[in-house]
């Protein structure tokens, strides 16, 4: 892990110990996408325990502190921090993990025409992120291959056609466990209102949200048929599902996605 490989990408990860950087950086090193000698971790707080045991990694406070320009710059930071800073790297492939910051704005602020926008989620922590991404016109096949290698280290990746798709996915895949947690909270509260103890309600909700997810993995396209099979059986669960639909379950999710999309558009307009 400590031996330099001249063919490995020379990468600077800005926000290396942040919400996503602390998982993506170590995954890149473990998979050999880059090496400790060719990787620089950039943040304002110094070395992070997330990189312990991965070699002698250089740390820097800003991109300008690097003695050699990186070939790849990963921007794992908040939009307002990006807009407040200086990130000129005209010769680098720039991979942005920021929501609400367009390819055009990234190009204008970095000087690079080779831009990839990607949206990993919190499941990167367990290498289960679903990461949609898109590439600017100047991104070539080698850049795309590197992008795929980076994000396969923390789960699955999928190239999407345009920023409109990425905006919608900011709420869908970008939510990570958020909607599952919302469902779990509602189930626990409903169970308690029906007379269950908190512990029993939590156990039932965990089984439904976490355990049932394994049954859906790899067959999400069958979700409508699964729902219909319970409705057709016309038992207790059918009554529950009908009540959820009649109360506006689908409409609530659609409203959530629309609200998230509106927020993304507002963030983009802040430029």
């Amino acid at each position: 892990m400590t031996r330099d490989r001249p063919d490995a990408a020379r990468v600077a990860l800005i926000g290396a110990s942040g919400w996503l950087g602390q998982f993506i950086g170590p995954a890149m090193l473990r998979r050999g996408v880059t090496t400790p000698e060719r990787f620089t971790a950039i943040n304002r707080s110094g070395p992070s325990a997330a990189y312990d045991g991965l070699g002698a990694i250089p740390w820097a406070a800003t991109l300008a502190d690097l003695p050699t320009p990186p070939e790849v710059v990963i921007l794992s930071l908040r939009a307002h921090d990006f807009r407040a800073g200086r990130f000129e790297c005209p010769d680098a492939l720039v991979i942005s993990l920021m929501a609400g910051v367009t390819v055009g704005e990234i190009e204008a602020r970095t000087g690079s025409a080779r831009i990839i926008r990607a949206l990993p989620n919190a499941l990167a922590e367990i290498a289960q992120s679903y990461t949609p991404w898109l590439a600017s016109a100047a991104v070539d096949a080698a850049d795309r291959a590197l992008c795929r290698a980076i994000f396969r280290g923390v789960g699955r990746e999928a190239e999407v056609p345009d920023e409109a798709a990425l905006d919608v996915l900011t709420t869908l895949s970008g939510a990570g466990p958020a909607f599952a947690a919302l469902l779990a909270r509602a189930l626990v509260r409903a169970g308690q209102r029906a007379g269950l103890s908190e512990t029993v309600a939590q156990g039932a909700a965990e089984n439904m949200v976490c355990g049932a997810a394994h049954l859906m993995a790899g067959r999400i396209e069958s979700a409508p048929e699964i729902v219909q099979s319970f409705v057709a059986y016309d038992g207790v669960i059918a009554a529950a599902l009908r009540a959820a639909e009649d109360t506006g379950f689908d409409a609530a999710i659609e409203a959530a996605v629309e609200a998230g999309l509106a927020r993304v558009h507002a963030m983009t307009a802040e430029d």
Side-chain angles (χ1 to χ4, degrees):
M1 177 59 70
T2 58
R3 183 170 60 85
D4 192 16
R5 264 187 34 228
D7 62 319
R10 191 166 63 248
V11 177
L13 173 52
I14 302 172
S17 60
W19 177 56
L20 290 170
Q22 65 180 319
F23 307 121
I24 290 173
M28 292 174 62
L29 290 162
R30 292 189 186 102
R31 289 170 60 88
V33 176
T34 186
T35 65
E37 297 85 355
R38 296 176 71 80
F39 176 82
T40 302
I42 299 177
N43 68 10
R44 293 175 294 202
S45 56
S48 165
Y51 294 82
D52 287 353
L54 294 174
I57 297 165
W59 289 80
T62 70
L63 187 61
D65 294 334
L66 275 59
T68 304
E71 298 164 333
V72 181
V73 173
I74 302 176
L75 301 170
S76 181
L77 67 168
R78 294 179 182 271
H80 68 265
D81 291 326
F82 173 66
R83 289 165 176 156
R86 295 176 62 85
F87 302 98
E88 291 89 350
C89 47
D91 299 319
L93 168 65
V94 177
I95 300 177
S96 165
L97 312 185
M98 299 179 292
V101 183
T102 65
V103 167
E105 182 180 355
I106 297 165
E107 182 173 347
R109 292 182 181 273
T110 64
S112 174
R114 294 162 56 218
I115 309 294
I116 288 174
R117 278 194 65 198
L119 288 175
N121 64 41
L123 296 179
E125 180 176 357
I126 57 171
Q128 292 294 317
S129 175
Y130 178 79
T131 304
W133 58 275
L134 62 85
S136 67
V139 169
D140 62 18
D143 293 337
R144 281 181 162 83
L146 178 61
C147 173
R148 292 188 176 98
I150 291 170
F151 294 117
R152 286 174 183 172
V154 291
R156 297 163 55 201
E157 52 74 30
E159 185 172 3
V160 298
D162 52 39
E163 293 191 281
L166 206 62
D167 287 346
V168 175
L169 287 162
T170 304
T171 299
L172 289 183
S173 63
F179 283 106
L182 185 65
L183 175 58
R185 188 185 71 179
L187 290 167
V188 171
R189 289 176 175 175
Q192 288 182 284
R193 284 193 295 270
L196 297 179
S197 70
E198 182 179 23
T199 299
V200 170
Q202 287 174 342
E206 181 175 353
N207 178 257
M208 182 181 290
V209 174
C210 303
H214 293 290
L215 291 177
M216 296 293 298
R219 51 185 297 217
I220 198 70
E221 72 283 351
S222 67
E225 288 75 23
I226 292 173
V227 171
Q228 184 55 39
S229 70
F230 279 98
V231 171
Y233 188 75
D234 202 25
V236 173
I237 304 306
L241 292 175
R242 289 192 186 101
E245 291 181 331
D246 291 346
T247 306
F249 187 88
D250 286 2
I253 299 301
E254 289 174 9
V257 173
E258 289 173 3
L261 185 57
R263 179 62 184 132
V264 171
H265 291 164
M267 292 169 64
T268 302
E270 290 171 4
D271 174 25

